[in-house]
């Protein structure tokens, strides 16, 4: 827990220094944001040099067993669009060049963290950047980027799609969503998002909520019907993955409920002079909550992964929502209370972090690199 808390502190501090740097210099006079650069490098090294954490062992094993890129491309079965072909092609490409999994992790960490940090920086007000980065770390999204590489790569790719959507470039949006789905199939649920590019809690939002409540009430029969449709489309999801008696943790449900609840209770304040960007972000947080609602019944891992795809809306818009609802005198009090709550959840959620997280040093990586072995072309690919 101590390591996790230190990481949270470093991320928040560097984000705050970047925020102050921008406030003092302004965008016109600011060429280099050294604090943002340090923050990004810190995240890349912390996640890229890891040896163990969550699914890291499975990804290490999958990387070791992956084939070279020419062998991968020669197998037609590897091009099944529902089997994450772009991720495995990328993994094989890196595996062709080095047998050291750490380089693969570092490349992934560069892509993920550069896109994520820059997206949050771009889409939050200057005064809210540190708060948003704190939320990004505290609710677990930041740590997800080293727990589930496939999903994290797809999520980072979808930040590019979100920028396209906010620019009303729909063809570019759907093209990026399609590419993200080739990395991790769940990314294709983003196809519904343009339908909710409206003010929060519009008729469409309420209709989606009613559908979600209906599915929740008739969970087993409804989900079985959806799985049959997915199976006919070519995406097979094992029933055991959904009906695994694994329900979403009540504390995480509470965290995901906060934004939808306050935006519904204070709808008139939130929707007053709201811009398109924050409308989209709040709608995303509501969709994320609806997947979490399904996860309270069963299949916490599956529905939790789906919810994470929309969590950027929560991260970017929550500080704005607080400022929109509350008076300038009470914003500090409410923000402080939120920070305490998020921190408490973070400490609970990462209570075993120190036991699970291990990393290499740069010196160890250099020594390993001198012993790097060429790929064995007779290895078999593995799905992790």
């Amino acid at each position: 827990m101590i390591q996790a808390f230190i990481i949270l502190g470093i991320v928040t501090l560097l984000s705050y220094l970047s925020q102050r740097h921008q406030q003092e210099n302004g965008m016109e006079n600011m060429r280099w944001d050294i604090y943002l650069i340090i923050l990004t490098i810190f995240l890349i090294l912390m996640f890229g040099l890891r040896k163990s954490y969550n699914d890291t062992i499975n990804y290490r094993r999958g990387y070791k067993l992956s084939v070279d890129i020419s062998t991968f491309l020669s197998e037609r079965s590897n091009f099944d669009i529902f089997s994450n072909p772009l991720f495995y092609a990328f993994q094989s490409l890196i595996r062709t060049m080095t047998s050291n999994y750490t380089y693969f992790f570092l490349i992934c960490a560069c892509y993920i963290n550069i896109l994520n940090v820059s997206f949050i920086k771009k889409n939050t007000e200057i005064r809210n950047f540190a708060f948003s980065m704190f939320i990004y770390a505290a609710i677990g999204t930041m740590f997800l980027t080293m727990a589930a590489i496939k999903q994290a790569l797809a999520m980072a790719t979808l930040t590019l799609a979100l920028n396209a959507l906010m620019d009303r470039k729909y063809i570019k949006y759907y093209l990026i969503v399609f590419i993200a789905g080739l990395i991790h199939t769940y990314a294709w649920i983003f196809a519904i998002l343009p339908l909710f590019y409206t003010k929060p809690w519009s008729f469409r939002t309420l209709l989606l909520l009613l559908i979600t409540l209906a599915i929740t009430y008739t969970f087993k029969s409804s989900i079985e019907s959806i799985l049959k449709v997915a199976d006919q489309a070519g995406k097979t999801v094992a029933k055991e993955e959904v009906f695994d008696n694994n329900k979403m943790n009540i504390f995480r449900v509470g965290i995901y409920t906060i934004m939808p609840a306050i935006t519904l209770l204070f709808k008139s304040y939130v929707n007053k002079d709201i811009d398109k960007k924050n409308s989209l972000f709040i709608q995303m947080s509501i969709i994320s909550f609806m997947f979490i609602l399904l996860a309270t019944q069963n299949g916490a891992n599956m529905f939790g992964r789906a919810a994470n795809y929309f969590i950027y809306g929560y991260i970017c818009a929550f500080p704005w929502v607080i400022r929109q609802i509350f008076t300038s005198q009470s914003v500090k009090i409410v923000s402080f209370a939120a920070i305490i709550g998020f921190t408490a959840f973070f400490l609970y959620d990462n209570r075993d972090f120190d036991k699970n997280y291990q990393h290499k040093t740069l010196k160890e990586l250099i020594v390993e690199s001198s012993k790097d072995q060429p790929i064995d072309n007779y290895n078999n690919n593995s799905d992790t």
Side-chain angles (χ1 to χ4, degrees):
M1 183 187 298
I2 295 176
Q3 282 190 86
F5 193 70
I6 292 173
I7 292 168
L8 176 66
I10 291 173
V11 169
T12 305
L13 175 61
L14 289 172
S15 301
Y16 176 73
L17 292 173
S18 172
Q19 175 180 306
R20 285 288 301 273
H21 179 67
Q22 187 173 345
Q23 288 173 324
E24 292 172 358
N25 294 278
M27 290 300 295
E28 297 80 7
N29 301 320
M30 189 177 66
R31 296 183 178 179
W32 291 96
D33 186 344
I34 187 62
Y35 303 110
L36 190 68
I37 294 171
I38 294 172
L39 169 63
T40 306
I41 292 173
F42 170 74
L43 292 175
I44 290 170
L45 293 178
M46 185 184 71
F47 293 169
L49 292 174
R50 72 187 184 279
K51 294 189 293 185
S52 66
Y53 178 76
N54 200 280
D55 269 355
T56 295
I57 298 299
N58 291 329
Y59 279 102
R60 286 173 56 178
R61 186 182 300 115
Y63 184 78
K64 181 179 179 181
L65 295 174
S66 61
V67 296
D68 65 281
I69 188 62
S70 60
T71 303
F72 179 90
L73 295 175
S74 67
E75 295 290 336
R76 181 176 296 183
S77 60
N78 290 330
F79 291 86
D80 178 2
I81 64 172
F82 294 108
S83 299
N84 312 314
L86 189 54
F87 171 79
Y88 290 112
F90 173 64
Q91 180 176 257
S92 291
L93 178 63
I94 305 303
R95 182 68 177 89
T96 303
M97 296 183 284
T98 175
S99 62
N100 193 323
Y101 69 86
T102 301
Y103 286 109
F104 176 62
F105 286 177
L106 281 169
I107 293 169
C108 291
C110 284
Y111 181 82
I112 292 165
N113 288 290
I114 289 173
L115 287 181
N116 284 354
V117 172
S118 61
F119 179 82
I120 296 171
K121 181 75 171 181
K122 176 182 177 181
N123 291 288
T124 56
E125 296 177 345
I126 296 175
R127 59 183 177 177
N128 292 334
F129 177 62
F131 196 3
S132 286
M133 284 300 298
F134 168 79
I135 296 171
Y136 173 64
I139 65 176
T141 308
M142 186 180 77
F143 289 101
L144 175 69
T145 63
M146 66 172 170
I149 299 178
K150 276 188 294 190
Q151 177 165 358
L153 287 169
M155 288 173 62
T157 301
L158 287 174
T159 63
L160 301 175
L162 285 170
N163 287 331
L165 179 59
M166 288 184 282
D167 290 337
R168 302 284 185 171
K169 297 178 180 178
Y170 293 106
I171 295 177
K172 181 179 179 181
Y173 171 79
Y174 278 110
L175 177 61
I176 297 173
V177 169
F178 178 73
I179 292 171
L182 296 178
I183 301 172
H184 191 247
T185 312
Y186 284 37
W188 284 333
I189 58 178
F190 244 53
I192 69 170
L193 191 56
L195 297 174
F196 298 93
Y197 202 173
T198 60
K199 285 190 176 183
W201 296 107
S202 63
F203 172 77
R204 294 178 187 180
T205 318
L206 294 172
L207 180 60
L208 182 62
L209 177 59
L210 288 175
I211 293 172
T212 304
L213 291 173
I215 294 175
T216 303
Y217 183 72
T218 59
F219 187 83
K220 191 174 188 300
S221 59
S222 295
I223 297 302
E224 284 180 344
S225 299
I226 294 172
L227 292 181
K228 287 180 181 178
V229 173
D231 187 57
Q232 292 172 356
K235 175 61 178 177
T236 301
V237 180
K239 285 188 177 181
E240 294 76 17
E241 187 176 349
V242 184
F243 303 105
D244 57 1
N245 294 319
N246 185 13
K247 300 181 180 181
M248 185 58 65
N249 180 288
I250 191 63
F251 296 112
R252 187 169 295 279
V253 174
I255 289 294
Y256 277 68
T257 303
I258 293 173
M259 176 85 103
I262 62 175
T263 54
L264 179 59
L265 287 173
F266 300 98
K267 179 181 175 181
S268 60
Y269 292 97
V270 171
N271 286 354
K272 181 181 179 181
D273 301 322
I274 192 172
D275 58 15
K276 289 287 187 179
K277 180 171 65 177
N278 283 304
S279 293
L280 178 65
F281 287 159
I282 295 172
Q283 292 283 60
M284 288 174 64
S285 73
I286 296 170
I287 296 172
S288 187
F289 162 72
M290 291 179 187
F291 279 112
I292 291 294
L293 193 61
L294 294 174
T296 61
Q297 302 302 304
N298 221 322
N301 289 332
M302 188 182 79
F303 291 115
R305 285 197 295 266
N308 276 317
Y309 274 107
F310 298 91
I311 199 62
Y312 291 115
Y314 192 127
I315 293 166
C316 292
F318 186 78
W320 179 88
V321 168
I322 290 178
R323 293 183 183 277
Q324 187 77 353
I325 293 174
F326 299 98
T327 64
S328 56
Q329 292 81 7
S330 57
V331 162
K332 289 183 180 180
I333 298 173
V334 175
S335 297
F336 180 75
I339 290 170
I340 295 298
F342 284 128
T343 302
F345 173 77
F346 174 82
L347 295 175
Y348 168 80
D349 197 41
N350 293 281
R351 57 194 182 280
D352 296 323
F353 183 86
D354 289 3
K355 291 189 294 184
N356 297 327
Y357 175 76
Q358 294 180 350
H359 65 88
K360 297 177 180 178
T361 63
L362 286 173
K363 181 179 179 180
E364 289 174 330
L365 179 60
I366 293 171
V367 171
E368 288 178 357
S369 299
S370 64
K371 303 176 182 178
D372 199 0
Q373 299 294 320
I375 186 172
D376 178 0
N377 290 327
Y378 294 98
N379 282 336
N380 294 317
N381 199 9
S382 174
D383 189 358
T384 57

